[in-house]
Amino acid sequence: MKFFSRFLSNDIGIDLGTANTLIYVKGEGIALNEPSIVARHIMTKKPIAVGIEAKEMMGRTNADLETIRPLKDGVIADFEVTEEMIKHFIRKVQHRKYLVLPRIVISVPSGSTEVEKRAVRDSCEHVGAREVHLVSEPMAAAIGMGLPVEQAVGSMVIDIGGGTTEIAVISLSGVVTQESVRVAGDVMDMVIIEWMRKKYNLLIGPPNAERLKHEIGSAMPLDPEIEANVTGRDLMDGIPKTLTIDSGEIREALADPIDQIVAGVRRALERTPPELAADILDRGMILCGGGSQLKGLKERLIEGTSLPAFVDDEDPLAAVVRGNKKILEEFDRFKKVLY
């Protein structure tokens, strides 16, 4: 069976993110990009929706249902739910080839413990993988963005996802310096929710906070500043209420998590060997991940480090899964970067 599966299977690259899961299928391209969310019955624990369908249920479930994000800070928080989610996604892209065993390359945060890596590997093995290989998210992102990871040149990658900000300096197919900051998109959403509660006594949900972040969130002053409406529940009288919020207020709310990301980058730079630091000064820092699209974040990092910075110009959200794709396509070339 394993012999024939080498020729029949669609090998798979998975970017298992806290916010979104992207899957590349060899020969087909990126076949799936869906939220990492599962909706299930509270009593039976039986999943009723996964991905996009489950996200549509967030904040709208009845007393018998719950929506779960089984990954927290980039790692598995609920093993069983994660396994069900991976199984659902793999079946969705395998086109009913349930008897054919795929080779899977899956990315994990650079700061993952051995226990966390084991949990990811076990989840993939339990859904029927022929082989499971792990790669650090910054390494996959660097490969996906076409950086010279195999050369004796320093490349700095800052991958700002949903659960973690992965910072790494890469040279000669290895990570020289790494910093995993468990502050990213989810924390930004939470501080916006807390800001609205404290300043306006308005309770809003994560989807509304995420929308405010995308529409008017920024790390640096905007010219002109912009506004957006937000609806929530007034905590004083308990009725729905709509307010108009400007980008300056959201920027103030986001100041602390952004400062933590800048501090993480500075810590990584402080541990970088001088020769590689000189390469980064010449080549700049490369940003990817959904959080890299926050308005003014690139400029804030330039201000905080005095180094040039660039955002992946192809698709910053798909940089990691593009790296998994290249690893699968040139497996012998890149197998030294795998766990």
Side-chain angles (χ1 to χ4, degrees):
M1 183 64 190
K2 288 186 177 182
F3 175 82
F4 286 111
S5 66
R6 293 179 185 276
F7 302 98
L8 299 175
S9 66
N10 288 331
D11 291 345
I12 293 172
I14 302 177
D15 175 11
L16 188 63
T18 303
N20 291 281
T21 295
L22 288 83
I23 297 183
Y24 162 80
V25 178
K26 192 172 182 180
E28 297 183 21
I30 298 176
L32 182 138
N33 181 359
E34 294 197 19
S36 302
I37 302 174
V38 176
R40 68 178 184 178
H41 286 284
I42 293 175
M43 294 297 294
T44 66
K45 308 300 183 184
K46 181 180 178 181
I48 62 169
V50 180
I52 294 172
E53 292 181 12
K55 185 174 184 178
E56 292 172 351
M57 297 180 183
M58 286 189 72
R60 297 180 170 88
T61 56
N62 56 42
D64 298 325
L65 304 176
E66 62 180 349
T67 54
I68 299 174
R69 297 180 66 174
L71 290 105
K72 183 176 175 59
D73 298 333
V75 296
I76 293 176
D78 190 315
F79 182 87
E80 292 182 1
V81 177
T82 300
E83 192 171 310
E84 287 294 329
M85 184 179 73
I86 293 174
K87 185 184 300 183
H88 173 87
F89 286 152
I90 289 178
R91 285 180 173 173
K92 194 168 184 177
V93 301
Q94 278 287 80
H95 306 302
R96 304 183 187 280
K97 295 181 181 178
Y98 302 140
L99 298 178
V100 182
L101 307 177
R103 168 192 280 164
I104 293 179
V105 171
I106 186 165
S107 52
V108 295
S110 58
S112 298
T113 65
E114 290 304 316
V115 172
E116 291 166 341
K117 290 175 185 175
R118 182 74 256 175
V120 173
R121 189 184 300 276
D122 287 347
S123 289
C124 293
E125 289 175 348
H126 289 166
V127 299
R130 179 178 86 245
E131 302 172 20
V132 180
H133 302 277
L134 308 184
V135 59
S136 74
E137 287 177 1
M139 178 63 77
I143 293 171
M145 292 186 291
L147 300 181
V149 299
E150 298 164 294
Q151 299 177 19
V153 176
S155 299
M156 187 172 205
V157 174
I158 305 171
D159 179 11
I160 308 169
T164 60
T165 294
E166 299 294 321
I167 306 155
V169 176
I170 293 168
S171 177
L172 294 171
S173 298
V175 175
V176 179
T177 302
Q178 66 183 29
E179 185 78 23
S180 186
V181 182
R182 300 206 169 184
V183 174
D186 286 351
V187 170
M188 293 182 191
D189 295 344
M190 290 301 105
V191 297
I192 291 173
I193 291 172
E194 187 64 15
W195 173 267
M196 296 299 297
R197 187 186 67 81
K198 285 184 175 179
K199 185 167 184 179
Y200 293 107
N201 284 315
L202 190 73
L203 182 63
I204 65 173
N208 254 332
E210 185 179 19
R211 180 180 61 82
L212 285 176
K213 178 181 67 179
H214 290 158
E215 291 183 4
I216 63 173
S218 67
M220 297 287 283
L222 302 178
D223 185 18
E225 299 289 350
I226 52 181
E227 297 180 337
N229 293 330
V230 61
T231 300
R233 176 163 56 85
D234 192 308
L235 292 171
M236 299 297 291
D237 55 27
I239 63 174
K241 183 178 180 180
T242 298
L243 295 176
T244 300
I245 309 297
D246 69 57
S247 52
E249 294 177 285
I250 301 301
R251 181 166 60 255
E252 188 174 344
L254 294 175
D256 182 62
I258 290 171
D259 285 347
Q260 290 187 55
I261 291 172
V262 174
V265 173
R266 292 181 64 91
R267 287 195 299 271
L269 287 167
E270 288 167 2
R271 302 197 307 271
T272 300
E275 291 78 9
L276 297 181
D279 293 337
I280 296 167
L281 180 61
D282 291 337
R283 300 166 54 81
M285 306 175 289
I286 312 298
L287 281 67
C288 64
S292 67
Q293 297 177 307
L294 182 72
K295 300 176 185 67
L297 182 58
K298 178 184 74 172
E299 290 75 16
R300 176 69 180 85
L301 284 166
I302 293 171
E303 179 186 79
T305 62
S306 300
L307 294 173
F310 307 93
V311 178
D312 176 33
D313 56 6
E314 185 173 346
D315 182 358
L317 286 100
V320 172
V321 79
R322 291 201 315 269
N324 293 347
K325 167 190 173 183
K326 289 185 179 180
I327 291 169
L328 283 170
E329 290 176 342
E330 303 178 67
F331 191 80
D332 289 337
R333 174 186 172 188
F334 290 116
K335 63 183 179 182
K336 64 183 73 173
V337 307
L338 301 173
Y339 304 146

